[in-house]
Each structure stands twice: as structure tokens, then as C-alpha cells.
Amino acid sequence: MANSKLYKGSLNTIILKLLDEKGKMYGYEITQKVKELTKGELTITEGALYPALHKLEAEGLLDVEVAKVDNRIRKYYKLTEVGEKETVNRLAELEEFIRSMQNLVKPNWSIQ
Amino acid sequence: MANSKLYKGSLNTIILKLLDEKGKMYGYEITQKVKELTKGELTITEGALYPALHKLEAEGLLDVEVAKVDNRIRKYYKLTEVGEKETVNRLAELEEFIRSMQNLVKPNWSIQ
DNA sequence: CTAATATACATAATTTTCTTATGTATATAT
DNA sequence: ATATATACATAAGAAAATTATGTATATTAG
């Protein structure tokens, strides 16, 4: 993701979450969906996305299915059973992380 | 920070925010404060913290002041004027990032 | 009709940012 | 006496991005 130096480490979880919601998606679709959902705030770069998808597949969390649409190749990814279980764990971790960050950033704890 | 692979990229902003709140802090104090504020969720490692402090200082965002307490050296860091301005920007970025992450993770947008 | 933009994949080189492993030194608690 | 806590530091290595390419087809704009 260009623009934001911050999100590092959360890309895999984002991918898993999107696939969990949509059932199956292809790479380019994921980049567009993230742009849409974050109103352009986060832009997944191809150099980050494709290696991430390949790694998740190699880890057995994703399955691929190749399709040809309008004479162009698409690779649809979907969660495996293992992937679905991992998604639950990683989402919980990410939400915990977000909560922690808010504790750090939001409150004026120095007043006490 | 051990435990969480997620927070990458946000350490600098966390440091700036803590210094903004407290006025001045030393390295070890920062590690303990983060542990406290996140209930042990995030643990800043020394290998991450000290290089980060040195870099922020080199960038002109922090000033150092060496003190000797109980025969042990402490290095107190505080924001420079430039550092204060940067803190505002980076906090805004971080909050925006957190909001984006929540948009990605929370809602069941696939229902529509 | 042709040039730019969008769609769709991929990878290599490099950089950033950590973790892990050390190292030094003092103070306190067991 | 030994372990733990306080307090700094850095080097080696790993992880996860960015940036820069590359290929190829489809569509839109001038």
C-alpha cells in the first residue's frame, strides 16, 4: 500500500477478511475493493499483493482457480478450511491490535 | 514489539505521542508505559526502540538530555518544535489509518 | 488510428523496520 | 550469591513492504 507507511503486517489479514466476506476474489479486484472501502486511503501495490497471495496459497490458507474473462486471465482465490479458521484468529489479533493502538493514541492519560 | 507482528511502522508515532503527553521520557520508561497502556499487549523491544530514538533525534524531531539517577545514566528525550508539528501530522495519519482498518475489518459489506 | 489508461498477472532489487542475540553496567531482591 | 530489574547500545538476520520493471489485452480519448 503506497501512501500509508503504517499498515505493515496487516495486509495478509486484510486479504483473508475480504475473501471471507466475498467468497472468492481475484488480485486486481482486491486492490480495487480496498481502495473503495478506505476511500483511497490505502492502496495495495502489486508488488505487495501478489507475493502475499502466493505465500498464503503456499501455506495452505488459500485455493486458486484460474478463469478467462474477456480474453484475460483472472486468478480467483478463496479460503480453504484451514484458511477460514486462521482468518478468525488473525481478525481477533488485528482487532486487539487496533484497540491497543487506540489506547496509546487517543486518551490524555498524562492528565492524571 | 514482540508478540504483535502488526504494529510495524507505527512505533515512531507512538514514541512521538508519548513524548507529547509526558513532556519528557527516557527509553526504558517508554517501554514500561507502552506495556502498561496496552495491558501487556505490546512490548517494545530495545532493539527497535533505541535505534528509533536515535533516528528521530537525527531527524531533528527529538532533543536529548543526559541525567544520572541512582548512579545510572538516563537519556531523557523531548520533542523539538519541529517534532511537535510532526507529531500532529503523524497522529492524524495514524488515526486515519486506524479508521481505515476498522472499515476493512468490521463491517459486513458483502451483505449489500 | 494511435496513444493513454485500465485491466490483469508477475518478479527482482532495494529499503524499511522489525526481532533476536549480544554486550556493558548498576541496584535490588531472594 | 544469583536472579531480576533498571538502563543504555549495537550487530546480524528476517519480514514485509516499495519501487521498478516486464508481459499482455481491452477500452477510451484525442
Side-chain angles (χ1 to χ4, degrees), chain B residues 1-2 7 9 45 71-72:
Chain B
M1 301 176 188
Y7 77 112
T45 61
N71 210 35
R72 269 194 297 248

Side-chain angles (χ1 to χ4, degrees), chain B residues 57 61-65 76-80:
Chain B
E57 190 198 345
L61 304 185
L62 300 185
D63 273 341
V64 196
E65 183 196 317
Y76 280 97
Y77 289 90
K78 66 166 195 282
L79 296 175
T80 61

Side-chain angles (χ1 to χ4, degrees), chain A residues 15-109:
Chain A
I15 293 171
L16 294 174
K17 167 67 176 175
L18 294 187
L19 291 175
D20 190 47
E21 293 283 342
K22 256 270 176 164
K24 68 176 187 177
M25 298 178 86
Y26 57 100
Y28 187 77
E29 186 185 7
I30 292 174
T31 67
Q32 301 308 301
K33 193 71 194 175
V34 168
K35 224 184 267 181
E36 179 200 323
L37 286 173
T38 65
K39 287 143 199 154
E41 274 297 316
L42 299 187
T43 307
I44 299 182
T45 61
E46 295 155 299
L49 178 67
Y50 292 115
L53 287 171
H54 300 160
K55 201 183 166 213
L56 288 169
E57 190 199 345
E59 289 168 353
L61 304 185
L62 300 185
D63 272 341
V64 197
E65 183 196 316
V66 181
K68 204 161 191 177
V69 179
D70 291 331
N71 210 34
R72 269 195 297 248
I73 281 172
R74 284 183 186 172
K75 294 197 175 172
Y76 281 97
Y77 290 90
K78 65 167 196 282
L79 296 175
T80 61
E81 273 185 56
V82 178
E84 275 172 43
K85 284 173 194 164
E86 255 304 286
T87 301
V88 177
N89 298 330
R90 300 218 192 169
L91 272 177
E93 253 189 272
L94 181 53
E95 277 159 31
E96 185 64 51
F97 165 71
I98 291 173
R99 243 174 286 135
S100 287
M101 291 304 285
Q102 282 174 323
N103 278 342
L104 285 171
V105 166
K106 222 182 31 192
N108 265 48
W109 47 265

